[in-house]
């Protein structure tokens, strides 16, 4: 039985005041999730400490949007996995498509692999993002691309337990565009990811959560999360307003 995870990826949004207002709005509208759904927020690095304080005593958990794979040294501007863990964060989003493709092509699969290893070594749970571009989907390469990204990132990585790893399928063409994968398109790729995970980790694969990300909203969340291999969502735009984020959490609770 996989507990759905709803994680809000705030990206480079919010200032300190609006972040506090958002968290208190989410906490006050949050239905009783108990152990039925896990909820995390992933603010900018600079707000991890104040958000750790803001969510204290609530069911919300904390995640970072990235980390650097080296443990210390002359890496100006970078943040290590241990530094992220020091804030109280449990998760780190790794290999997000904006970092792979948009921000100056910063990330390659080797770097993402090293980040996954660094996160696990610091007892953080990676939310490893994979997904195809529109050109790759149109060329019929979706499953191949996803397999390559997954295997490259996880090669030689052995999570001790299923909860040590989360995968997010985020079709690049659906991120921030308002275009969502159909539930059938999502399920096809999620089932493929689970089969690849089974090849890597055997039966542990049945317990590893695979999130969908890409224009998930309260009105499409139930159908997406209702798919057999969709175990929650990585939410961008809709995580920035209490009503829409909580609406997605409610859909996950009902799934
Ligand atoms: P979106 O972003 O929900 O705004 O499409 C999802 C993501 O990039 O993680």
């Amino acid at each position: 039985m996989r507990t759905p995870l709803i994680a809000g990826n705030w990206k480079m949004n919010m200032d300190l005041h609006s972040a506090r207002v958002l968290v208190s709005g989410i906490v006050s509208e949050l239905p009783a999730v108990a152990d039925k759904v896990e909820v995390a927020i992933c603010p900018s690095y600079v707000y991890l400490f104040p958000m750790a304080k803001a969510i204290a005593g609530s069911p919300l958990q904390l995640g970072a949007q990235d980390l650097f794979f080296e443990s210390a040294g002359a890496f100006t501007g970078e943040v290590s996995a241990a530094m992220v863990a020091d804030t109280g964060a449990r998760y780190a989003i790794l290999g997000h498509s904006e970092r792979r493709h948009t921000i100056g092509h910063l990330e390659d699969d080797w770097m993402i692999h090293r980040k996954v290893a660094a996160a696990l070594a610091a007892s953080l749970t990676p939310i490893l993002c994979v997904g195809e571009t529109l050109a790759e989907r149109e060329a019929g390469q979706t499953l191949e691309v996803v397999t390559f990204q997954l295997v490259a990132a996880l090669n030689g990585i052995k999570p001790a337990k299923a909860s040590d790893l989360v995968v997010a399928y985020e079709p690049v063409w659906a991120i921030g565009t308002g275009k969502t994968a159909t539930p059938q398109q999502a399920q096809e790729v999620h089932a493929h990811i689970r089969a690849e995970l089974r090849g890597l980790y055997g039966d542990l694969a049945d317990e590893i959560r695979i999130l969908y990300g890409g224009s998930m909203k309260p009105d499409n969340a139930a159908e997406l999360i209702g798919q057999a291999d969709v175990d929650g969502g990585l939410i961008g735009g809709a995580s920035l307003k209490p009503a829409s984020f909580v609406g997605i959490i409610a859909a996950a609770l009902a799934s």
Side-chain angles (χ1 to χ4, degrees):
M1 189 51 202
R2 300 182 293 266
T3 306
L5 169 64
I6 303 297
N9 175 9
W10 291 4
K11 309 191 179 185
M12 201 176 74
N13 292 300
M14 296 285 131
D15 57 23
L16 185 54
H17 175 71
S18 54
R20 287 191 170 123
V21 171
L22 175 58
V23 164
S24 74
I26 295 168
V27 169
S28 69
E29 291 182 30
L30 196 67
V33 288
D35 50 6
K36 294 200 191 76
V37 175
E38 274 187 50
V39 183
I41 55 164
C42 303
S44 151
Y45 284 138
V46 295
Y47 300 139
L48 284 170
F49 271 116
M51 290 307 103
K53 207 167 156 197
I55 64 175
S58 84
L60 300 188
Q61 302 186 73
L62 196 62
Q65 297 174 17
D66 190 25
L67 50 75
F68 194 56
F69 50 80
E70 296 286 0
S71 54
F75 303 105
T76 302
E78 295 294 349
V79 175
S80 72
M83 290 170 180
V84 168
D86 267 347
T87 68
R90 161 157 183 216
Y91 293 103
I93 300 171
L94 299 178
H96 190 277
S97 71
E98 284 149 18
R99 301 197 59 79
R100 288 181 192 261
H101 302 295
T102 312
I103 311 169
H105 294 270
L106 271 179
E107 309 243 332
D108 61 19
D109 290 288
W110 170 237
M111 193 185 270
I112 294 162
H113 166 75
R114 295 193 65 188
K115 290 183 175 192
V116 170
L120 286 169
S123 299
L124 293 167
T125 300
I127 301 178
L128 169 64
C129 301
V130 296
E132 81 287 5
T133 62
L134 184 58
E136 289 163 342
R137 174 160 282 268
E138 286 174 349
Q141 295 167 342
T142 297
L143 300 183
E144 197 184 313
V145 166
V146 164
T147 298
F148 185 86
Q149 292 174 342
L150 199 66
V151 172
L154 296 178
N155 183 24
I157 301 276
K158 291 265 171 271
K161 52 189 190 310
S163 57
D164 288 347
L165 177 66
V166 174
V167 176
Y169 169 54
E170 298 210 311
V172 179
W173 48 272
I175 296 177
T177 58
K179 287 186 201 151
T180 317
T182 64
Q184 294 69 28
Q185 285 172 323
Q187 170 57 25
E188 183 197 9
V189 181
H190 281 233
H192 176 78
I193 291 172
R194 197 169 310 284
E196 293 292 340
L197 291 173
R198 194 167 291 116
L200 291 168
Y201 304 129
D203 289 347
L204 205 63
D206 291 325
E207 294 163 53
I208 295 175
R209 288 171 296 182
I210 307 172
L211 314 184
Y212 170 80
S215 300
M216 191 185 270
K217 305 205 162 42
D219 60 3
N220 61 25
E223 225 192 328
L224 285 160
I225 300 171
Q227 301 300 307
D229 289 291
V230 180
D231 308 315
L234 182 56
I235 323 295
S239 72
L240 302 177
K241 296 229 164 60
S244 48
F245 193 52
V246 169
I248 293 170
I249 295 163
L253 263 177
S255 75

